[in-house]
Amino acid sequence: MSGAQNYINHVALVLDASSSMSHLSRKVVDVADQQIAYLARRSKELDQETRVTVYVFADSVECVIYDKDVLRMPSLKQLYRVGGMTALLAATLKSQRELAQTAQLYGDHSFLTFVLTDGQENASHRCPDAPARSPRELVQAVSQLIATQQDNWTLAVLVPDQMGKREAMQCGFPKDNVAIWDATSTQGLEEAGQVIQQATENFMVGRARGIRGSRAVFSTGADAVNKETIEAAGLTPVNPSEYQLIPVAREAAIREWVVECGHTYRTGCAFYQLSKSEKIQAKKQIAVLEKKTDRVYTGPQARSLLGLPDTEVRVHPDRNDDFTIFVQSTSVNRKLIPHTRLLLML
């Protein structure tokens, strides 16, 4: 007699430990430890088993923790040391090839890897973990590896700039699995940690709904928000008599525009269209609008759909031809952007 299958998550952090990370080294440990504590808490809440692997890379690539129960993880304090160049492609190859040797018996196994780097690849062709390869062969090897991974594998990378994003995409990383972080400050690293946490939340909530992997972990685009994911999240449409969509004709403060359009303004009743990258606080509600029908979905599941954790996190709007994201405003002065729409809950 077979019982229900366990959800078993194998989460890997592949961390740049090249010399240029030295000004952030203490913060890297903090962010990684916070991520592990978060994973431990969510694993208990969602009843998913999570096992953590950590690689660090500079001139060479070292696995410092392998597939360890998240509830028994040590701090990375003694394990993260900086110095050397950036063998980014060797680290990607080694981590994925070694993790692929993990047994996947008896359970629904899924692999999620985050690679974090503050610079461009410059050492893999000399790295013992990727012997005798030209830079071009390395790019091809990573590209082929990503293209042939099964549907229960998710590989994401955080890079410092647009050039890093271009290079990552040339290596085969899906566009929506590449995020840019500010590598110049501890604040930037803190925000990168929030992005990873948000993506992990997306992943774990998706796992509970039977989704095994993602090529859009950093996205509010069509891969993340569509008819299927809305249905899977359990979102139901709001009665059309309970809301109104108001075009924004000019730049105006949110309360001023609501009143000018003949409505009463109550704090929290108005939602603005997400049209630029910004921080969304833990208490803010989210609404999703289907463009074709003007049907609106909202409720706590709307936050889960975007993988928003219960902390403040930065979100950016991605191209989505079918759905628009709206965010609750609790301010009277928020500036509305012309040619967007305002969602008013009546």
Side-chain angles (χ1 to χ4, degrees):
M1 191 175 86
S2 68
Q5 287 207 327
N6 278 348
Y7 287 118
I8 303 167
N9 305 319
H10 304 270
V11 178
L13 300 174
V14 181
L15 303 173
D16 188 343
S18 60
S19 301
S20 55
M21 289 289 284
S22 56
H23 68 296
L24 295 172
S25 60
R26 193 173 295 167
K27 194 67 181 172
V28 170
V29 171
D30 287 349
V31 165
D33 286 354
Q34 282 165 18
Q35 174 69 5
I36 287 158
Y38 166 79
L39 274 171
R41 176 170 67 79
R42 289 304 273 147
S43 297
K44 283 182 187 165
E45 289 167 358
L46 295 167
D47 191 24
Q48 297 179 14
E49 183 181 335
T50 300
R51 311 191 68 80
V52 176
T53 298
V54 180
Y55 285 85
V56 294
F57 66 92
D59 293 319
S60 60
V61 186
E62 189 186 356
C63 179
V64 293
I65 294 171
Y66 175 70
D67 214 38
K68 192 175 178 78
D69 177 5
V70 73
L71 303 178
R72 296 172 49 243
M73 282 285 291
S75 166
L76 291 193
K77 211 169 276 171
Q78 306 305 319
L79 303 170
Y80 182 77
R81 294 278 177 274
V82 297
M85 307 277 274
T86 308
L88 175 64
L89 297 180
T92 303
L93 286 168
K94 182 180 168 99
S95 65
Q96 299 306 282
R97 285 174 176 170
E98 291 186 350
L99 285 164
Q101 296 175 51
T102 310
Q104 295 187 55
L105 301 168
Y106 304 115
D108 182 340
H109 293 258
S110 201
F111 293 80
L112 172 65
T113 301
F114 292 103
V115 182
L116 176 80
T117 180
D118 76 332
Q120 265 76 46
E121 159 64 50
N122 60 19
S124 290
H125 57 290
R126 292 197 305 272
C127 175
D129 299 297
R133 285 188 185 277
S134 71
R136 188 161 165 226
E137 285 175 319
L138 277 161
V139 168
Q140 286 171 340
V142 172
S143 210
Q144 190 178 358
L145 172 104
I146 294 171
T148 53
Q149 282 185 321
Q150 301 290 312
D151 70 342
N152 61 330
W153 285 76
T154 302
L155 176 60
V157 63
L158 289 96
V159 294
D161 50 32
Q162 283 296 343
M163 186 173 154
K165 181 164 187 167
R166 263 201 316 278
E167 287 189 1
M169 284 163 60
Q170 281 164 3
C171 292
F173 280 90
K175 175 175 68 71
D176 291 327
N177 284 10
V178 185
I180 293 174
W181 68 291
D182 171 13
T184 61
S185 65
T186 54
Q187 170 72 27
L189 186 53
E190 183 82 46
E191 288 184 1
Q194 290 170 355
V195 167
I196 290 174
Q197 190 167 310
Q198 177 189 345
T200 307
E201 177 71 11
N202 252 343
F203 171 81
M204 292 180 86
V205 170
R207 291 284 281 141
R209 301 196 303 259
I211 295 166
R212 305 189 73 215
S214 172
R215 297 178 80 75
V217 291
F218 301 129
S219 174
T220 56
D223 288 336
V225 181
N226 56 55
K227 271 198 160 131
E228 289 73 28
T229 57
I230 285 170
E231 195 177 314
L235 281 167
T236 52
V238 180
N239 187 319
S241 66
E242 293 174 16
Y243 65 87
Q244 193 165 348
L245 288 156
I246 303 171
V248 179
R250 61 176 177 80
E251 188 179 289
I254 196 162
R255 180 174 62 184
E256 176 195 342
W257 190 249
V258 168
V259 171
E260 193 172 310
C261 292
H263 300 278
T264 306
Y265 183 84
R266 298 183 327 279
T267 304
C269 72
F271 289 61
Y272 60 90
Q273 198 171 315
L274 181 69
S275 45
K276 62 180 183 11
S277 176
E278 61 179 273
K279 289 181 177 175
I280 296 178
Q281 288 80 22
K283 297 212 166 28
K284 294 284 179 73
Q285 292 177 37
I286 295 294
V288 181
L289 170 83
E290 186 174 30
K291 292 179 183 177
K292 206 162 48 185
T293 60
D294 276 353
R295 194 178 287 152
V296 168
Y297 300 82
T298 190
Q301 302 95 326
R303 283 185 66 92
S304 302
L305 179 71
L306 300 187
L308 298 183
D310 50 9
T311 53
E312 182 177 271
V313 69
R314 182 173 288 283
V315 177
H316 60 260
D318 294 300
R319 181 187 167 86
N320 191 326
D321 292 334
D322 300 319
F323 291 91
T324 303
I325 309 298
F326 284 83
V327 182
Q328 183 183 38
S329 173
T330 50
S331 143
V332 295
N333 297 321
R334 164 164 281 277
K335 285 275 183 281
L336 296 176
I337 296 173
H339 315 303
T340 61
R341 295 210 276 178
L342 180 69
L343 169 65
L344 192 65
M345 292 298 183
L346 303 172

